[in-house]
Amino acid sequence: MNNTNPGIVLGTMGFGTQVDPDTSFALLDSFVAGGGDWLDTANCYSFWADPSGVGGASERVIGAWLRARPGARDSVRIATKVRQNPLVPHVWPESAEGLSARAVHAGMEESLERLGVDHVDMLWAHAEDRTVPLEETVGAFGELVAKGTALRVGAANHTAWRVERARSLAREQGAEPWTALQLRHSLVQPRPLTPLAEGGHRHLTPDDLDLAASEGLDVWAYSSLLWGSYTRPDKPFQDIYDHPGTTRVLAVLDDIADEVSATRNQVVLAWLLHQGIAPIVGVSRVQHVEEALAARDVRFTGEQLARFEAAR
């Protein structure tokens, strides 16, 4: 993987829906004050929690924060996504915008308007759209980079072979290729081949890591703290994590957290960072922002890393 790993990324999925604007502003302020700079959002966030039935709330809150904080745009880099926003309120996935050239360009234009910016630093294809020729999608993303409205482009929730095919097509077209992957990943692993309850989610696989290593792609991980399951008794791990490997990993996690004087969450985030993976952290309290950013200072010995590997 390349050396542009963004470190801890602030996930803003709940901004404007599950997280009120004032709290969202406080989280953004704390993140920037602590040295964080990458914000991750999407044009569809969070349509399932918004009475309107469509996305856009998260981007609007970020845009309002940028207007209220003169100069803040110079301190943050913004990543957003197109593909999943419903075109018909409350009708998803049937009316999801998709990845046609028209949808990609329209989605980008609307995101820029909500954010109040002239470009984003990363635009993700939020999920595959196999109803559209990949050549068309790749061309549309390349056009946005050529226009300067997206500085980089990446693929979220795509299979490794589709990403590599898209990169080949980009080379043929002379277009900017996808240079980053975003997938679900954490320290504990689900049982192999277990279906996911969350629509659109896709786990990071060894093939994804192989592709990233060989091609110098960034890797971002969402749901890295598994919705609080590492630390909150009221948020138990999902059934797909109910296997002996999880028990082993959690035992090692507790031992190493004690050894490095860090919380479980900090150790998980530090472990991901050590792998060269940028964890996206969604939070609703300022103290959680501070806890996450402190994970950057956690260091492991080779022996501790070997214990993690043996447990997994």
Side-chain angles (χ1 to χ4, degrees):
M1 284 164 272
N2 62 29
N3 59 7
T4 60
N5 187 298
I8 302 289
V9 178
L10 182 63
T12 66
M13 185 170 69
F15 286 11
T17 49
Q18 297 100 326
V19 183
D20 66 78
D22 287 345
T23 302
S24 300
F25 276 34
L27 297 172
L28 288 161
D29 289 341
S30 177
F31 184 69
V32 172
D37 62 350
W38 272 102
L39 313 178
D40 186 73
T41 186
N43 67 344
C44 69
Y45 290 163
S46 290
F47 71 84
W48 55 92
D50 195 312
S52 72
V54 296
S58 173
E59 291 179 332
R60 282 192 293 270
V61 168
I62 294 171
W65 177 76
L66 290 172
R67 290 192 297 273
R69 305 287 189 269
R73 182 65 180 100
D74 296 330
S75 301
V76 295
R77 288 181 283 181
I78 300 171
T80 194
K81 311 178 190 76
V82 294
R83 162 66 175 94
Q84 298 284 33
N85 202 25
L87 298 178
V88 179
H90 306 289
V91 179
W92 186 91
E94 294 83 1
S95 80
E97 65 198 315
L99 289 177
S100 68
R102 180 178 179 180
V104 170
H105 282 281
M108 180 80 276
E109 182 177 347
E110 292 162 7
S111 287
L112 294 176
E113 182 177 351
R114 286 188 289 264
L115 290 163
V117 299
D118 61 6
H119 73 277
V120 295
D121 301 273
M122 177 82 79
L123 178 66
W124 299 97
H126 205 163
E128 295 181 3
D129 181 1
R130 299 199 181 189
T131 70
V132 174
L134 193 54
E135 294 89 341
E136 179 178 342
T137 299
V138 167
F141 273 74
E143 288 166 1
L144 293 174
V145 175
K147 287 172 55 179
T149 51
L151 301 189
R152 290 181 62 192
V153 288
N157 299 306
H158 280 59
T159 58
W161 78 265
R162 289 276 290 184
V163 174
E164 179 51 31
R165 177 61 181 150
R167 285 172 53 79
S168 177
L169 290 168
R171 288 190 293 269
E172 293 173 8
Q173 295 179 14
E176 181 71 15
W178 288 331
T179 58
L181 311 177
Q182 185 177 145
L183 297 140
R184 179 165 150 184
H185 190 55
S186 190
L187 178 62
V188 300
Q189 293 289 291
R191 292 190 302 274
L193 305 178
T194 307
L196 296 176
E198 296 79 17
H201 282 209
R202 184 174 177 274
H203 276 113
L204 181 73
T205 69
D207 282 345
D208 300 315
L209 291 174
D210 281 349
L211 175 64
S214 65
E215 296 295 306
L217 311 181
D218 287 344
V219 179
W220 295 24
Y222 64 86
S223 301
S224 52
L225 295 177
L226 297 178
W227 308 282
S229 297
Y230 286 103
T231 58
R232 294 179 54 176
D234 62 322
K235 297 279 189 177
F237 287 99
Q238 296 175 322
D239 289 345
I240 61 173
Y241 298 100
D242 184 12
H243 60 86
T246 296
T247 304
R248 292 194 303 270
V249 168
L250 293 179
V252 173
L253 175 60
D254 284 334
D255 289 343
I256 294 178
D258 287 341
E259 293 165 16
V260 300
S261 300
T263 66
R264 267 188 172 192
N265 283 344
Q266 287 171 333
V267 172
V268 172
L269 295 175
W271 179 83
L272 288 165
L273 290 170
H274 183 82
Q275 311 302 312
I277 296 170
I280 302 169
V281 181
V283 295
S284 57
R285 297 181 184 178
V286 166
Q287 55 264 45
H288 294 158
V289 174
E290 296 168 346
E291 177 189 14
L293 291 176
R296 297 173 299 184
D297 299 323
V298 174
R299 297 291 182 269
F300 302 118
T301 66
E303 185 271 340
Q304 288 168 333
L305 291 169
R307 281 153 59 194
F308 274 133
E309 187 63 27
R312 298 175 80 244

